[in-house]
Amino acid sequence: MEPISVTALSFTEYVMSGQRGRISIVSEQRRIYLSSEQWVAGFYNPMRDAMRRAANSPDPAAELDKAVEAAHRNPRAGQPRAFEELREGFLPWLQATRATGVPTAAAKWQAGDLALRVRPHLGLRLPDGSRAAVLVYVKETPMTQEAANVGLRILQQTVPDTLPGAVPLVLDARRGRAFRMSRRTNLAKLDALIAAEAAGYVVHWRMSA
């Protein structure tokens, strides 16, 4: 069988969904990834695009406002409210970082039959000259440090290809909260957890076919 290919963020969302929610979330992700209808997969894309523009704009609020206004002009169920909440969480965080955008590249991470597509949603240059590779989480359920560690570890392992030297971040955009990997994190145990979760994802994906 060919490897199952999803994004690093989709896999992170699977890990945070808990035992009861995992089959449901994989079924939903499978429907999105295999759909031929662009609107199914692209619900949050206009806001993520606006976030990238905002990071390079002298008026980041205006870029985010455009996405919110477009959602109100052509509303899809839940999109205007979601975009408003993302704006209210993301804008103060971006302004507080005083960062500017930098390009990122794509990479692949693989464990067994699961291949993750890894491309940070944002590449940022901070005022001190350091850089950050950011996965932007946009859903209603709050991100947890435990789940963020999965995304952070995958970013950490692929950052030499996506944005060399960057610090990995997972941003919960609705709440304007950025997660970093603690120096006290036991990487060996985290890697074992990720390997087990990757195997579980493959099983759930194939069972939902």
Side-chain angles (χ1 to χ4, degrees):
M1 293 185 181
E2 293 185 1
I4 295 160
S5 179
V6 298
T7 67
L9 187 58
S10 290
F11 177 62
T12 301
E13 291 175 2
Y14 164 82
V15 173
M16 71 181 292
S17 64
Q19 292 295 331
R20 292 186 178 181
R22 289 183 179 182
I23 291 179
S24 295
I25 198 169
V26 172
S27 296
E28 176 65 13
Q29 289 179 358
R30 194 175 192 279
R31 182 182 71 87
I32 290 171
Y33 279 106
L34 299 182
S35 174
S36 60
E37 299 181 50
Q38 187 175 2
W39 70 269
V40 174
F43 185 93
Y44 289 104
N45 286 352
M47 182 53 83
R48 285 204 176 101
D49 291 343
M51 290 175 181
R52 282 189 286 270
R53 293 195 302 271
N56 288 289
S57 173
D59 189 358
E63 297 297 338
L64 299 171
D65 287 343
K66 289 176 188 176
V68 172
E69 290 163 6
H72 278 282
R73 285 196 302 271
N74 299 289
R76 290 166 54 185
Q79 196 178 56
R81 178 180 62 83
F83 282 19
E84 288 170 0
E85 291 178 359
L86 287 166
R87 181 198 182 282
E88 293 308 306
F90 176 77
L91 182 59
W93 177 83
L94 179 65
Q95 291 172 329
T97 67
R98 296 184 293 123
T100 55
V102 295
T104 63
K108 186 174 80 170
W109 179 98
Q110 188 156 348
D113 286 340
L114 180 64
L116 300 184
R117 303 192 298 276
V118 187
R119 182 161 195 163
H121 298 109
L122 292 174
L124 298 178
R125 187 183 304 279
L126 304 174
D128 64 1
S130 64
R131 298 190 295 180
V134 189
L135 285 183
V136 180
Y137 171 74
V138 293
K139 302 291 182 66
E140 281 189 281
T141 303
M143 176 61 66
T144 65
Q145 182 68 57
E146 182 180 8
N149 282 347
V150 172
L152 289 168
R153 181 58 171 160
I154 293 165
L155 277 177
Q156 190 179 67
Q157 292 175 321
T158 54
V159 81
D161 297 316
T162 61
L163 190 57
V167 174
L169 296 178
V170 171
L171 174 67
D172 183 339
R174 292 199 193 211
R175 283 148 285 272
R177 181 183 178 188
F179 293 86
R180 295 172 179 256
M181 182 82 76
S182 169
R183 292 181 180 179
R184 298 190 300 274
T185 302
N186 186 317
L187 296 182
K189 288 185 177 180
L190 179 57
D191 288 343
L193 169 68
I194 292 172
E197 297 286 7
Y201 190 98
V202 170
V203 171
H204 284 143
W205 179 283
R206 290 179 175 157
M207 286 179 64
S208 66

